Amino acid sequence: MEPGQLIRVEWRGKPVWVVKRTEQTLDALAAHNDKLRDPASDEPQQPDYAHNEHRSIKPEIFVAVGICTHLGCSPSYLPDSFGEQVQGVTSGFFCPCHGSKFDMAGRVFQGVPAPLNLVIPPYQYLSDTTILVGADGKEA
Ligand code: FES
């Protein structure tokens, strides 16, 4: 994948995004924690292995269910123009249905209708470049 690229796959009829985040994007995540509803991802919207500051197994690869936690629209990826939505934040996801906004770790901004961060599905790496979504080898 190219830096900044997003690819969509389908899992159980839902869109799943895989995004390659740049070093710059990762560094910027901590800068707007004060604008987020659940910056530390305390709500159980991710598996344990994605309960970290970047909400992923490998920092640069973000995997998330691309469905807004408000009423289920699929947000748009704004790699360069998210600053029009949240000043000072270059990239993120914007839900056109009712205006919810999420950062590059799928964390929801305050003051929008979506109550929760985006869901991180179970997933695992089969190799350095292959991800299996839907199973993480931790099921009983
Ligand atoms: S469904 Fe996304 S803001 Fe309402």
Side-chain angles (χ1 to χ4, degrees), residues 89-118:
V89 182
T90 310
S91 47
F93 304 94
F94 176 67
C95 184
C97 292
H98 316 92
S100 290
K101 301 164 193 180
F102 304 87
D103 78 352
M104 289 299 290
R107 299 176 300 172
V108 68
F109 283 89
Q110 294 164 7
V112 304
L116 294 166
N117 294 342
L118 297 179

